[in-house]
Amino acid sequence: MSSEAIGFLMGGLVLVLLVLRIHIAVSMLLAGAIGYALVSGVDPLLNYVKTMAFARYSVYDLSVVPLFLLMGNLASRGGLSRRLFQATNAFLGHWRGGVAMSAVGACAGFGAICGSSLATAATMGQVALPELRRYKYSPALATGALAAGGTLGILIPPSVVLVIYAVLAEQNVASMFMAALLPGLLAMAGYMLAIAIYVRVVPGSGPAAPRMGWPERWKTLRDVWPIVAVFVTVIGGIYGGIFTPTEAAAIGTMATAALALFTRELTWQGFMQAAFDTASATAMIFLILLGADLLNAFFALSQMPTAAAQWVLNAGMSPLLVLLAIILIYLVLGCVMDSLSMILLTIPIFLPIVMGMDYWGLNQTDKAIWFGVLALMVVEIGLITPPVGMNLFIINSLARDVPMKETYRGTVPFIVSDLLRTAVLVLVPGLSLWLVHLLN
């Protein structure tokens, strides 16, 4: 059996193990080890494994991951999410569907200091769901808006998944953050537009809240300005070249902790729980990274990604058709896998294919950045598609009286918005590259 055939066989083994509900990290480690041994032998496998962990974990950019996770955990336990929602609700709540729009806007703001979709969905769900119930929003719209808003956590910088992609694709983390900012803001605007259309198509699903006076609005802005300052410091420092992403993450974490202490909402128990949750999430991510490293080393040894890329090039398919096929595969995988697992499993295979084709005359760096944001946007859809949309389960666990089918139904307008935005980014790569070129 050729090494390329073994590569495809082990790729299939990973999918079989996932169907059997084996953890993604274990699945990749097992398939990578078996494939590596079959292609190169047991001794070379052991020689590679003994240095693999140090080689991966000594990468400086990865230190961003626990820092951004800790920043998000501290923000969620320091009452910052509630302040964000109150501020957005003060300005948007009096519109039809305005409270749901406020929840989406608050999710975007919280995602800007969190970097995790699951944490964004869980935190904002606890804050906004009682208000949506109080104003008698339909269960479908309330849960659908919160599940979709949570996806902004991995699209609006800083994003843990973007950091992982940058490491895999050997791209600059700051450039990836720049590229994702405009599509992230467009996602927020698209979700708000979807809510505005939904409440007019389904009357009574999103009543308007009472209009707040300007004194109350100014008060909510006064409460929320330190959060804006943290975001501007972190992202502005990265974009301006003042900090590296790791330095910005450290400064942002310290500022968030100080802010949470100042509001007197962060207890010692809350701080310890934030640290524990950060350690747990970091360990999970790093174990998956280790599994991906072994699997990717085997794929490189087997030449399977190169063979797949060459086969696609020789098939004579148009670049857009190939990209459409990749997007469809992501949409299917999103129904059964989480976002990080999808990125780690597919990028080593799909990126060489994309890099070998011509898209709008982009150079190799621009192409890698554009595809990274595009992949992230499609992966984001998987968080709200059945049967394993992680955000759906998180929101539904907070609204146990809402049938899951209602939550599924409520996400449909947001999925349509996501698909339209994906089509725009495919046809207009400058949407993600404009800010990169402007600031570099």
Side-chain angles (χ1 to χ4, degrees), residues 88-169:
T88 54
N89 195 42
F91 287 87
L92 300 176
H94 61 279
W95 295 353
R96 288 169 61 185
V99 182
M101 294 180 192
S102 302
V104 168
C107 283
F110 189 75
I113 55 172
C114 177
S116 166
S117 282
L118 302 184
T120 301
T123 303
M124 295 311 306
Q126 293 172 6
V127 171
L129 195 58
E131 288 296 296
L132 291 164
R133 289 182 185 278
R134 185 158 74 93
Y135 290 108
K136 302 188 185 308
Y137 272 61
S138 72
L141 178 59
T143 55
L146 288 169
T151 64
L152 298 173
I154 63 170
L155 189 54
I156 292 183
S159 166
V160 171
V161 179
L162 269 181
V163 173
I164 300 300
Y165 174 84
V167 171
L168 289 177

Side-chain angles (χ1 to χ4, degrees), residues 102-238:
S102 302
V104 168
C107 283
F110 189 75
I113 55 172
C114 177
S116 166
S117 282
L118 302 184
T120 301
T123 303
M124 295 311 306
Q126 293 172 6
V127 171
L129 195 58
E131 288 296 296
L132 291 164
R133 289 182 185 278
R134 185 158 74 93
Y135 290 108
K136 302 188 185 308
Y137 272 61
S138 72
L141 178 59
T143 55
L146 288 169
T151 64
L152 298 173
I154 63 170
L155 189 54
I156 292 183
S159 166
V160 171
V161 179
L162 269 181
V163 173
I164 300 300
Y165 174 84
V167 171
L168 289 177
E170 299 180 351
Q171 297 300 314
N172 182 271
V173 173
S175 294
M176 292 304 308
F177 284 177
M178 293 177 203
L181 182 59
L182 194 55
L185 295 176
L186 184 63
M188 179 187 69
Y191 287 166
M192 290 184 178
L193 179 60
I195 293 169
I197 295 172
Y198 185 93
V199 296
R200 284 160 177 79
V201 173
V202 187
S205 58
R211 181 188 292 269
M212 287 190 184
W214 278 104
E216 293 173 287
R217 292 179 177 180
W218 288 122
K219 182 180 182 303
T220 61
L221 286 181
R222 188 175 68 248
D223 291 341
V224 87
W225 76 262
I227 305 171
V228 177
V230 171
F231 173 74
V232 170
T233 301
V234 172
I235 300 301
I238 293 174

Side-chain angles (χ1 to χ4, degrees), residues 43-334:
D43 287 343
L45 168 65
L46 296 177
N47 286 333
Y48 176 75
V49 167
K50 71 181 182 182
T51 60
M52 179 177 66
F54 176 79
R56 167 50 65 205
Y57 297 151
S58 61
V59 174
Y60 178 71
D61 285 345
L62 282 180
S63 56
V64 167
V65 173
L67 289 170
F68 278 141
L69 288 174
L70 181 58
M71 186 165 71
N73 282 317
L74 290 173
S76 66
R77 287 170 175 79
L80 307 188
S81 54
R82 177 176 50 79
R83 291 165 180 256
L84 280 168
F85 177 71
Q86 289 173 342
T88 54
N89 195 42
F91 287 87
L92 300 176
H94 61 279
W95 295 353
R96 288 169 61 185
V99 182
M101 294 180 192
S102 302
V104 168
C107 283
F110 189 75
I113 55 172
C114 177
S116 166
S117 282
L118 302 184
T120 301
T123 303
M124 295 311 306
Q126 293 172 6
V127 171
L129 195 58
E131 288 296 296
L132 291 164
R133 289 182 185 278
R134 185 158 74 93
Y135 290 108
K136 302 188 185 308
Y137 272 61
S138 72
L141 178 59
T143 55
L146 288 169
T151 64
L152 298 173
I154 63 170
L155 189 54
I156 292 183
S159 166
V160 171
V161 179
L162 269 181
V163 173
I164 300 300
Y165 174 84
V167 171
L168 289 177
E170 299 180 351
Q171 297 300 314
N172 182 271
V173 173
S175 294
M176 292 304 308
F177 284 177
M178 293 177 203
L181 182 59
L182 194 55
L185 295 176
L186 184 63
M188 179 187 69
Y191 287 166
M192 290 184 178
L193 179 60
I195 293 169
I197 295 172
Y198 185 93
V199 296
R200 284 160 177 79
V201 173
V202 187
S205 58
R211 181 188 292 269
M212 287 190 184
W214 278 104
E216 293 173 287
R217 292 179 177 180
W218 288 122
K219 182 180 182 303
T220 61
L221 286 181
R222 188 175 68 248
D223 291 341
V224 87
W225 76 262
I227 305 171
V228 177
V230 171
F231 173 74
V232 170
T233 301
V234 172
I235 300 301
I238 293 174
Y239 291 174
I242 301 172
F243 314 129
T244 66
T246 301
E247 292 167 347
I251 291 170
T253 301
M254 291 298 297
T256 303
L259 183 57
L261 289 171
F262 179 76
T263 60
R264 299 183 180 179
E265 296 194 37
L266 180 64
T267 63
W268 175 251
Q269 184 180 3
F271 175 80
M272 293 303 295
Q273 189 61 48
F276 178 78
D277 290 348
T278 300
S280 299
T282 302
M284 181 269 292
I285 291 171
F286 279 22
L287 182 60
I288 295 175
L289 270 173
L290 203 62
D293 263 8
L294 183 56
L295 186 64
N296 295 342
F298 155 64
F299 279 157
L301 197 65
S302 70
Q303 296 294 305
M304 187 270 277
T306 304
Q310 196 59 47
W311 180 84
V312 170
L313 293 173
N314 293 337
M317 292 187 289
S318 71
L320 281 179
L321 185 61
V322 172
L323 190 60
L324 178 61
I326 291 174
I327 290 172
L328 289 175
I329 291 171
Y330 271 128
L331 292 176
V332 172
L333 289 177

